[in-house]
Amino acid sequence: MKNDIDSILESMFRGGRLHFKSSLPQDSQKEKKDPRPAPKPAEGAGPLSQAAVNAQQAQQALDAVESVGDSLAGSLQESLERLTREAKADMADLERHLQADGIDTQAVVRNSGAPVDMDMAFQVARQEAGALVLGQEEFLDSLLIAYKRPFVAGSQEGAPLCRAAVLGPHGTGRHSALRCVTASLGRQGVLKSPKTALLDLSRYAAPGSEKLFIQDFYAAVKSGASALLLEHWERCHTSVLSMVGDLFRQGSIPLPSRYAEQKGMLVEIGTALVPGAVSTLSAAGKYLFLLTDQPASKLADAFGAPFLAALDDQCQTKPFTRESLEEIARRELTSLQERCQKQLQMKLSFGEAEVGALADRFTPDQGAYALKEGADRLYRALSEEKLHKALGPVEGRLFAEGDALRAEYTQAGLTVQVGEKDASGAREAAVAAVKEELSQIVGLQPVKDYILSLEDNFKIQQLRRERGLKADSPSMHMIFTGNPGTGKTTVARIVSRYLKAIGVLQGGQLVEVTRADLVGQYVGHTAPLTQKAIQSALGGVLFIDEAYSLYRGKDDSFGLEAIDTLVKGMEDHRSDLIVILAGYSREMEEFLQANSGLKSRFPNIIEFPDYTAQELWEITKSIVRGKGYRLAPSCEAPLTAYYEEQQRSGDSRTNGNGRMARNKVEEAVIACSRRNVRAPEEQRDLELLLPEDFGV
């Protein structure tokens, strides 16, 4: 049985509209409303007359309420209709934005879209990829099978669509093929999105990088990309490597701690009670590709046999044939020709000789990218020609000159040749400048010979790599031992610039630290300090002066922690960090025993000998010139004798070698000033240093 509430609601919302009606009988409601005020009862009227008047007044009040209710109901109904129209407009605008971002709103509830002809869509994707990536027909066929697999074999709910390893050397079109196929299938509606997301695992090489990897993987999943590409697994930290293994084996990453999604971000929440906590990150509905130039056996060694068993496909590129390289070169030159015509108003022609010359640029290390880079360098040279000479429309041709690709055009009867800009000239100039600086250092010939030999080894390894041979760059971590003032810090600074000039290092910066910069003041403080120093030196040289101070015995737990962290960092960053330790010979030998893996990581122990008396005299002359003074010829004999006596009978560790020479010059400058102040004006020589100024 309906209650009173049901009756009231039915009366208020009849016909889908809001109504306010009187509860009086229908006959009373239908009576014509009289807007005139109710008449007052006559004097002496009885109670019945008074009741009639009261009833009439009550009816007028109800009529007024009903009128207001009708007006309010109409206003509310109009507001509801307006809100509905606005909501529909907002949804339409949202759909337009999603479509602009490449998301198929009609297919978002499914793993894929529903093209009219699925086979035709994959054929189109294959043709587009084949036009972009040349000479890799078998690879492209296997890649299309991987993309088609979930549509034929199906995929489990909550699992990736496909898990595949993409193998092959650098520069063989792996990235381009993956992006092209994904974009084509996404554009045709087969996939939800034409986007791919690339995760470079080398970014997560430091300890504790798993949190950064989790954030980046979450962002990649939420980006709407249909395909996730992971590369450089061999350079990531072991904790991240384990997560990658779980991702391909299980389709998800178990999180090491509690996270929650907040404002579009994944936030670590610890023990807090937050709704929507996340325990795993899933790659459901995504294609997973692991790119590597390593063979499949290396994957088994790193991830285990279950990893390979979990892969749905293995797609591998092959080395280019000569025909495919020439086709790539022809395509790059055609693209260069079109760019010059459109952007520079230069009409250039080329022939088969130029195609062959550009194809010769291919190296196993750079791959087909070397051909593109060669064409790009020539375009940059031509654009500079256009900027500086304000050229109008011109015609010319491309031609090969040895290993270089050049262009030639004629203007005002003059023939002008333009060559591609090569960075080798600037690199050779930088190497020459560093070598000149090294040659200016007095003595230390064995040290100089060793440093210069680094370039020879690097060039040979680079040549082997270009020819497809196995290249293994040896460890360049060094230990400089010797007494104070023998030039260890000066040489370390030169080494950092030299290694950058020859191409070993990317940054070339020298980060100088001591024990105070690496060892913390409380438990748990040392490792982060040492890791911070390592991170700041990546791409350059980390120079630790008086390194033996890190080890003060077995009871120095803080120092031992710094050493252990340093050894781990050297192992994690073998390719982009060089560590140079400096200190006294005897103390450094003891220091190397602090960690069993320390000495083996420093195969290059270089002894800096004490300077001879004649070398100290040369150092003295250099310091004096640098200060803007000159030496009297009579200074040589007494100073040389003084240095010889000090080096023979004194303690070199106390005398300081080069520091001794610097101190003597400082002493002479002060004595020279004192002497000139007391001398008459006409006898003053403010630049000349005499033997008596040196006190010898």
Side-chain angles (χ1 to χ4, degrees), residues 496-569:
S496 65
R497 295 198 300 277
Y498 181 67
L499 294 177
K500 179 183 180 181
I502 66 177
V504 174
L505 295 173
Q506 296 297 321
Q509 76 276 17
L510 179 76
V511 178
E512 301 182 42
V513 295
T514 61
R515 176 185 171 94
D517 301 304
L518 303 178
V519 177
Q521 300 178 356
Y522 51 85
V523 175
H525 190 209
T526 296
L529 277 180
T530 306
Q531 290 169 4
K532 181 179 179 181
I534 292 172
Q535 290 293 324
S536 65
L538 290 181
V541 174
L542 179 65
F543 178 69
I544 307 177
D545 199 9
E546 298 181 353
Y548 53 82
S549 64
L550 291 176
Y551 179 64
R552 295 176 175 173
K554 296 181 180 180
D555 295 332
D556 182 15
S557 59
F558 287 3
L560 290 172
E561 183 180 5
I563 294 172
D564 294 341
T565 306
L566 176 65
V567 170
K568 184 65 168 59

Side-chain angles (χ1 to χ4, degrees), residues 128 130 212 222 344 354 377 486 503 510 512 564-565 598 672:
E128 292 180 359
L212 177 60
K222 292 297 181 180
L344 308 179
E354 289 69 48
R377 282 203 300 265
T486 50
L510 179 76
E512 301 182 42
D564 294 341
T565 306
L598 190 59
C672 175

Side-chain angles (χ1 to χ4, degrees), residues 645-674:
E645 175 64 22
Q646 291 296 317
Q647 294 292 75
R648 183 179 67 253
S649 61
D651 185 355
S652 298
R653 297 174 63 169
T654 304
N655 293 339
N657 284 285
R659 296 179 189 176
M660 176 174 57
R662 187 181 300 110
N663 291 339
K664 293 303 290 182
V665 173
E666 296 286 353
E667 178 185 331
V669 168
I670 295 174
C672 175
S673 301
R674 187 165 53 246

Side-chain angles (χ1 to χ4, degrees), residues 378 381-382 385 389 397 399 401 406-410 414-420:
L378 183 56
L382 290 169
E385 189 81 2
K389 296 185 177 180
R397 67 182 182 92
F399 66 96
E401 188 175 79
R406 302 177 66 85
E408 176 181 273
Y409 68 90
T410 302
L414 297 176
T415 300
V416 181
Q417 292 187 357
V418 181
E420 57 182 296

